[in-house]
Amino acid sequence: MPRGEKQTNASDDRHIDRHGTTIGYLSAIVAMAIVHVLPANAAESRFELRFGPKGITSLRRSDDQQKVEFLRSGASLGDVVLRFRAGTGPWQEVATADVPDQRQERNRDAGEFAAKHDLGDGLTLSERFVLRGDVLLWTMRLRNGSEQALQIGDLAVPLPMNTDYPHGFDKAEVKQEIFTRRLIRHAFISGDGSFLFWLPVGGVGPHLVMTPIEGTQLEYFTESQSNYAHGGGRYTVFIHSAASGAAEKRGTWRQKHTSIRLAPGQEVVYGFELRWADDYEGIRNLLYQTGRVDVRVVPGMVVPKDLFALCALRTKHQLVDVVPEFPEQTQIDHLGRKQGGMHIYKVRFSRLGENMLTLRYGGGRHVHLEFFVTQPLETLIKKRARFIAEKQQHRDPSKWYDGLFSLWDVRMPEGQNLLGPDNLGGQHPYAVSGSDDPSNSKCLYLSEKSVVYPDRKQVAALEYFLEHFVWGKHQRTAEEKPFPFGIYGSDSWFSNRFAKRDPLDGAVSRPGGHSQCRMWRTFDYTTYFALYYNMYRIARQNPGMVRYLDAAGYLRRAFGTARAFFEVPYSIRMEGGWSFTGWPDWAYTIGNFHEKYLLPIIDAMEEEGLRSEADYLCGQWEKKVKYFLYDEPYPFISEMPVDSTAYESSYVIAKYALRHGLKLDERLWQDKNSGKWYSHPRIDPAVHEAFLRRQLLANLACRGWLETSYYHYGSDFRGCGSAHYTLSYMSQMGGWSILDHGLYFEDKPAELIRLGYGSMLSSWALLNAGTAESDYGHWYPGQRHDGAVGWGFFPQKFGHDWNPATKGIPRGAWPVDGEIDHGLAAYVETARTVVIDDPVFGLIAYGGTLQQQGNSILVVPKDGVRRRLHVVRGPRRLHLALDRDGFAENRPVQFDEDLAGIRFALESRTSGKHVVSVTIGGLPAGTYDLLLDSQRLMHFQAKDEKDATVPLPMDEKQQPSVVIKRR
């Protein structure tokens, strides 16, 4: 009896699926696999199951001390949704959960459950869960018992896993519930290589892995709108999707929508296997053992055009071919096979935008790898800054928002793309400045770029913003009492600033209306003190570029705003309680983006002789450090219960404690809301190391790693684990912390460096940038949008998310920007080239090109900034950083195999004579000579694990050669 004919979209030719064979033979293969691979005794299993009338109602791992429940309360695993039709008639939709006449059988001792569903028109679906050892097998047998052919257009499987998060996450018991017993989902929907897995939010505990059986492929998914703050939504994967997926004409999809035709009497079997894994390596091994392709890739799935990708592909099957989507614009070289079955490929892309590689292996199997190719990083960095300065600032002295940097919406008619308070474009009023916070992110990005590549016009735009929009308007001045330096956070600071609704001396903020005391949103403060610090750096290095304030003035503003960050929100009360968007003690108790700038601000104040100010900020910062380490078991929330915003701060806190140490204290500070005093009579470095590991695992849990599509790999999963809205600003900010962790704290750093660097690159895929040949952008063609960027990425074919700009959008970058410039700014601030002797790929350079010459290694930095270089050679680590200027463009940094000699050329980016400070860490101990253009400038001592800082005199026209060598 031949297997059903599988079809693609109606416009495609029909073809016999590669599994076209008798169903009896297929069933025999499945049965043989079960008998051959799996133990027969269910008692040996680690699955703890409960069955209800419609399937599995409880799924746990029996040896899990936390008793994590993997299914949502009240839900059943086993529901299947089908759309089918006879001939060319209309599609009929039926869900097995709604079929009243299903027949069931259970064998609890054997861990089995079976049900037969009569779906109508002679179509039946027989489901069976069979537990054998550590594998739970779920099979679905479709049979056409009618006398006419039936076409199965959709075969969809809802997965009601426990990814909802309870309200009240300010309570200790709720946070414990979320981080230890609720889940984050990971999904890779890609033909035969598809897989899903779930793990606890905190990253510790059992990992449940779901893989299709032989003959089952996944090609599509949908997800209903969830409550953004609390997860949820209905996530459904499709084995066939021609009825609903192909019918959705809006948006694009990268895989075929298929159907299957069953002749009278025909049947077909599909299914999944569920297994447990303990960690990511365990999942990789399961993918390999079950016949899939375990993929490792560098530098990531987002690849600048002037660099290349390396892919390591491990599979038990014969790897037949790697097929590029654009063969004329893709060069693929097979570099050989390594021990362990890994095939290494080098891929160069010349076409900008989306590029897919299809792996064909194992007798007709396939899996897709989705890359995104960008212009060179330096081009992207400069292009985005130019776009902000030239197109995204309001300049109209008659408007109260004169100077505001605002959103760019590519869907609006020409002349109306720049949104603002008088042109909302459907946005919430609070979002017109770029995000939830009127301080927004564009000013910070522009300042970071101007620190690296000074530009007089862009600095002038920043000063116009500060003078006309910020000081004495959005931000209170130093002289205004009470609450100097306070920042009005609201839909419109103008309404709060001048509405005179609530007296400041009462320090009460009333919900549901305007309030002068609405200054409690801590995220506003971090962006502004980071901006002021960057303006201090610009003014100090290029005093001729600034006119509004000098370097000292900007540093005073940075300090005043940082002080207000700790003092002002904490001084305000909200009548009727607090909402999830703000809490008075958030400066101390949650992670705020950019608060790591406090540390260089403290250093700058010490350098400038402002010791008391530095001591004050250091004291406040250490209150927070100790709170995270000793006072709060789960300090990883931000303004959402599962919000990756925290993982930049949590890493910086752990690193600070391990590098600086902490002192004992008694009654350090009191939470005036709860009345609790915090004391720390015991300081234990082991606690700091444990926290470093815990925050890393939590960061990894909400980040794509094994999913080799550019919109998942390295991305944080916002929306509390939902599939919609990937590539947020924390893809890069939290990704930096993973990369930095690997460079400084991990004995075997290769895996973390791969993921961290891939994360750093990831959100550049949202930038709409290109050449005339590519019509200036993959997402939104046309030169006027060359340099625009999307707020996030929407991975579904078509749908909507929480923001008004996403009420009906196609797959791809959001059509409006917003918070994403926080992430792009973080990339510019932390960009680096990393050389590592990788155990899989060998000696490679992330963010650069590399070659070996005898005992020397030469790397040309192409990370877009050219200020930092790290070398990882086994246990040896070299860290090289410049505080200004940069390595000369297209000239190599050369270092010896033993890291005892370094040679590089500098380029000046600053006018006049000046000094570049070069910080070097990890040099082998000894005495070193520093030569500038072959002239010995000085010598210095290097000690293992200690940084050395050496000054280099520069002239604006110089490109001096620098040599550092051990005597």
Side-chain angles (χ1 to χ4, degrees):
M1 181 182 308
R3 186 186 190 272
E5 183 180 349
K6 185 173 181 180
Q7 297 177 312
T8 60
N9 296 350
S11 60
D12 294 336
D13 293 334
R14 296 180 180 180
H15 64 277
I16 300 296
D17 182 72
R18 63 179 173 82
H19 305 301
T21 181
T22 65
I23 190 63
Y25 179 70
L26 181 59
S27 300
I29 291 294
V30 173
M32 287 170 59
I34 295 171
V35 171
H36 180 69
V37 176
L38 309 177
N41 187 354
E44 299 175 13
S45 172
R46 289 185 294 173
F47 279 94
E48 184 179 298
L49 305 174
R50 291 182 182 175
F51 295 97
K54 298 178 181 180
I56 297 176
T57 58
S58 177
L59 194 163
R60 302 182 181 187
R61 197 166 90 170
S62 59
D63 58 353
D64 176 24
Q65 293 184 354
Q66 293 292 340
K67 295 297 180 184
V68 176
E69 174 57 69
F70 278 75
L71 294 181
R72 187 178 302 162
S73 177
S76 296
L77 183 64
D79 187 18
V80 179
V81 180
L82 296 98
R83 289 180 178 89
F84 69 96
R85 67 184 177 186
T88 58
W91 294 110
Q92 301 180 56
E93 179 175 333
V94 61
T96 58
D98 300 330
V99 176
D101 59 343
Q102 57 188 4
R103 287 159 281 168
Q104 307 163 28
E105 59 183 64
R106 297 186 185 90
N107 185 342
R108 291 174 182 255
D109 294 335
E112 295 185 8
F113 172 88
K116 184 174 182 180
H117 315 281
D118 295 321
L119 307 178
D121 287 350
L123 183 65
T124 60
L125 174 65
S126 299
E127 288 188 87
R128 182 176 296 274
F129 288 96
V130 180
L131 186 59
R132 294 292 184 268
D134 272 341
V135 179
L136 176 62
L137 177 67
W138 174 16
T139 55
M140 295 164 275
R141 183 187 300 269
L142 275 171
R143 187 176 190 279
N144 180 6
S146 73
E147 296 182 355
Q148 58 182 335
L150 296 176
Q151 184 182 4
I152 311 300
D154 279 356
L155 182 55
V157 181
L159 298 171
M161 313 308 279
N162 197 12
T163 54
D164 286 347
Y165 309 118
H167 293 260
F169 57 87
D170 55 303
K171 299 179 177 63
E173 64 273 15
V174 175
K175 283 190 275 191
Q176 182 181 21
E177 171 69 20
I178 290 171
F179 279 90
T180 62
R181 290 185 289 275
R182 298 299 170 99
L183 307 174
I184 280 180
R185 179 188 66 248
H186 293 252
F188 183 56
I189 309 303
S190 188
D192 297 279
S194 301
F195 61 87
L196 300 97
F197 67 92
W198 298 264
L199 75 161
V201 168
V204 178
H207 299 38
L208 179 65
V209 185
M210 177 174 164
T211 54
I213 66 171
E214 172 70 18
T216 301
Q217 304 168 353
L218 296 178
E219 64 187 27
Y220 189 57
F221 80 93
T222 60
E223 182 169 17
S224 64
Q225 173 84 27
S226 69
N227 179 330
Y228 179 71
H230 299 283
R234 181 181 172 91
Y235 185 80
T236 301
V237 296
F238 287 72
I239 298 169
H240 296 294
S241 60
S244 59
E248 177 55 82
K249 302 301 182 184
R250 299 167 298 181
T252 60
W253 192 246
R254 304 283 284 163
Q255 301 181 53
K256 290 182 178 180
H257 298 292
T258 69
S259 66
I260 189 169
R261 188 176 299 277
L262 294 180
Q266 278 190 295
E267 58 182 28
V268 64
V269 173
Y270 299 101
F272 300 95
E273 293 175 333
L274 290 90
R275 294 175 170 84
W276 297 112
D278 295 321
D279 51 30
Y280 300 99
E281 191 61 29
I283 296 172
R284 287 191 182 278
N285 289 332
L286 282 180
L287 297 180
Y288 173 75
Q289 292 161 8
T290 57
R292 280 154 189 82
V293 183
D294 171 28
V295 182
R296 290 171 170 84
V297 61
V298 295
M301 302 302 292
V302 174
V303 184
K305 190 177 178 180
D306 58 342
L307 298 174
F308 56 85
L310 292 174
C311 301
L313 312 175
R314 181 173 67 128
T315 179
K316 294 171 65 175
H317 297 287
Q318 180 183 359
L319 190 61
V320 176
D321 206 358
V322 179
V323 183
E325 183 176 10
F326 305 105
E328 299 301 318
Q329 296 168 288
T330 311
Q331 179 183 336
I332 301 177
D333 297 310
H334 186 204
L335 303 184
R337 182 175 180 177
K338 297 191 69 171
Q339 187 176 3
M342 284 190 182
H343 295 262
I344 310 295
Y345 288 84
K346 181 178 182 179
V347 187
R348 287 188 179 274
F349 300 99
S350 59
R351 181 188 176 97
L352 296 176
E354 293 184 298
N355 282 258
M356 180 183 288
L357 301 182
T358 299
L359 312 183
R360 302 196 182 280
Y361 66 101
R365 295 172 177 83
H366 76 275
V367 62
H368 305 294
L369 309 183
E370 296 183 67
F371 290 85
F372 194 93
V373 180
T374 72
Q375 291 183 280
L377 289 164
E378 191 165 328
T379 300
L380 300 183
I381 290 169
K382 293 177 179 178
K383 183 174 286 190
R384 178 60 187 149
R386 184 168 61 248
F387 191 91
I388 292 172
E390 295 178 358
K391 295 188 176 184
Q392 292 195 246
Q393 186 174 36
H394 290 278
R395 293 284 189 107
D396 186 346
S398 69
K399 301 292 187 182
W400 63 264
Y401 51 87
D402 183 33
L404 169 70
F405 293 105
S406 192
L407 278 69
W408 184 268
D409 191 331
V410 298
R411 301 167 303 176
M412 301 292 284
E414 188 168 3
Q416 300 179 41
N417 299 109
L418 180 60
L419 304 185
D422 297 325
N423 176 30
L424 293 176
Q427 284 289 325
H428 297 300
Y430 66 73
V432 295
S433 59
S435 66
D436 296 349
D437 312 294
S439 59
N440 72 70
S441 54
K442 290 155 194 25
C443 60
L444 187 60
Y445 179 84
L446 203 56
S447 70
E448 277 296 346
K449 184 270 173 187
S450 296
V451 167
V452 175
Y453 297 109
D455 183 286
R456 190 174 298 275
K457 289 183 179 180
Q458 292 169 16
V459 172
L462 287 166
E463 292 203 305
Y464 192 94
F465 168 71
L466 290 168
E467 182 177 5
H468 294 275
F469 180 79
V470 177
W471 194 242
K473 303 174 183 70
H474 182 218
Q475 183 176 30
R476 292 168 66 80
T477 68
E479 290 73 34
E480 291 182 86
K481 302 293 190 295
F483 311 134
F485 293 92
I487 299 172
Y488 293 95
S490 66
D491 295 0
S492 160
W493 66 261
F494 184 78
S495 298
N496 284 335
R497 186 73 172 86
F498 299 107
K500 308 295 185 186
R501 301 291 181 90
D502 298 322
L504 286 172
D505 56 6
V508 175
S509 181
R510 293 183 171 88
H514 297 301
S515 167
Q516 288 196 84
C517 283
R518 196 169 176 182
M519 290 181 279
W520 38 256
R521 191 166 165 83
T522 52
F523 298 100
D524 289 320
Y525 295 82
T526 55
T527 301
Y528 274 178
F529 66 58
L531 169 63
Y532 285 130
Y533 170 70
N534 281 343
M535 295 303 295
Y536 158 75
R537 297 171 69 193
I538 293 168
R540 196 175 186 215
Q541 296 178 5
N542 296 276
M545 282 193 180
V546 298
R547 61 152 197 89
Y548 177 54
L549 293 176
D550 60 10
Y554 279 121
L555 188 58
R556 284 193 295 271
R557 289 270 184 98
F559 169 73
T561 307
R563 181 168 189 154
F565 168 64
F566 289 108
E567 294 182 352
V568 174
Y570 199 53
S571 300
I572 295 172
R573 297 178 292 113
M574 177 175 280
E575 189 176 80
W578 292 87
S579 71
F580 75 89
T581 57
W583 205 263
D585 59 4
W586 272 12
Y588 298 103
T589 61
I590 71 163
N592 291 255
F593 50 51
H594 306 312
E595 64 187 354
K596 69 175 185 176
Y597 282 81
L598 288 166
L599 300 179
I601 290 172
I602 292 169
D603 291 341
M605 288 189 296
E606 289 182 341
E607 186 176 343
E608 299 286 358
L610 303 173
R611 184 69 204 187
S612 62
E613 290 88 344
D615 287 345
Y616 170 83
L617 283 189
C618 189
Q620 300 306 307
W621 169 249
E622 290 196 357
K623 288 180 185 178
K624 179 163 197 162
V625 171
K626 291 176 178 178
Y627 180 87
F628 269 52
L629 294 172
Y630 292 97
D631 301 326
E632 171 54 63
Y634 304 101
F636 309 131
I637 68 164
S638 190
E639 63 181 315
M640 307 292 179
V642 180
D643 186 343
S644 53
T645 298
Y647 298 125
E648 180 193 46
S649 291
S650 62
Y651 170 71
V652 173
I653 284 169
K655 184 176 182 179
Y656 179 89
L658 288 167
R659 290 292 176 86
H660 292 81
L662 300 172
K663 296 179 180 179
L664 305 178
D665 66 73
E666 183 67 29
R667 295 169 70 87
L668 178 65
W669 67 288
Q670 184 184 31
D671 186 327
K672 65 181 182 182
N673 298 292
S674 66
K676 179 179 179 180
W677 278 95
Y678 292 103
S679 301
H680 309 93
R682 183 179 70 93
I683 297 297
D684 184 357
V687 171
H688 309 168
E689 292 191 10
F691 179 79
L692 177 74
R693 177 61 54 177
R694 282 201 304 125
Q695 65 83 34
L696 172 67
L697 292 175
N699 189 351
L700 295 177
C702 71
R703 188 168 299 270
W705 190 356
L706 309 187
E707 304 95 311
T708 44
S709 53
Y710 70 88
Y711 45 87
H712 283 138
Y713 187 86
S715 173
D716 63 315
F717 293 162
R718 302 187 66 78
C720 303
S722 73
H724 47 274
Y725 188 19
T726 61
L727 297 182
S728 87
Y729 61 86
M730 280 306 299
S731 299
Q732 292 167 303
M733 297 175 80
W736 162 79
S737 68
I738 293 171
L739 174 62
D740 202 75
H741 182 122
L743 289 171
Y744 287 100
F745 292 105
E746 201 69 22
D747 291 336
K748 297 180 179 179
E751 290 278 4
L752 292 186
I753 289 175
R754 288 181 210 141
L755 177 61
Y757 212 95
S759 300
M760 293 271 287
L761 292 173
S762 63
S763 291
W764 287 113
L766 299 172
L767 193 66
N768 191 72
T771 60
E773 181 185 18
S774 63
D775 203 5
Y776 301 102
H778 179 79
W779 300 116
Y780 303 102
Q783 192 166 10
R784 69 190 175 104
H785 300 307
D786 186 21
V789 69
W791 197 324
F793 188 92
F794 187 73
Q796 297 188 67
K797 187 174 186 178
F798 189 87
H800 64 280
D801 214 311
W802 64 272
N803 187 278
T806 67
K807 302 306 180 187
I809 60 170
R811 183 190 63 85
W814 285 19
V816 64
D817 59 4
E819 296 167 313
I820 190 59
D821 287 296
H822 288 301
L824 302 182
Y827 178 87
V828 178
E829 189 253 333
T830 60
R832 61 201 62 206
T833 299
V834 179
V835 177
I836 180 173
D837 198 353
D838 188 285
V840 172
F841 297 101
L843 188 63
I844 57 173
Y846 291 84
T849 58
L850 180 146
Q851 62 175 315
Q852 286 188 272
Q853 291 183 357
N855 292 325
S856 293
I857 298 168
L858 288 75
V859 58
V860 178
K862 294 189 176 183
D863 55 57
V865 173
R866 294 182 275 121
R867 280 191 172 175
R868 296 181 186 87
L869 175 69
H870 302 264
V871 182
V872 180
R873 305 297 308 276
R876 252 232 98 81
R877 312 283 169 96
L878 176 70
H879 310 289
L880 179 64
L882 313 176
D883 73 331
R884 63 195 301 178
D885 294 338
F887 299 119
E889 186 175 11
N890 293 323
R891 293 181 63 179
V893 177
Q894 182 176 348
F895 55 91
D896 298 337
E897 287 271 11
D898 62 1
L899 305 183
I902 310 168
R903 302 158 190 84
F904 55 88
L906 294 176
E907 71 175 24
S908 178
R909 302 174 187 171
T910 306
S911 60
K913 293 183 178 182
H914 56 280
V915 174
V916 177
S917 291
V918 182
T919 301
I920 312 169
L923 285 173
T927 300
Y928 287 79
D929 288 324
L930 174 65
L931 287 77
L932 191 66
D933 284 337
S934 302
Q935 300 296 313
R936 184 173 178 274
L937 190 65
M938 60 176 293
H939 70 271
F940 63 93
Q941 293 291 324
K943 299 180 181 180
D944 284 327
E945 307 303 323
K946 298 293 183 181
D947 291 348
T949 300
V950 295
L952 294 177
M954 287 280 288
D955 184 272
E956 61 179 307
K957 297 182 180 179
Q958 276 186 313
Q959 278 205 348
S961 296
V962 180
V963 177
I964 299 171
K965 61 180 181 179
R966 187 167 56 183
R967 289 182 176 178

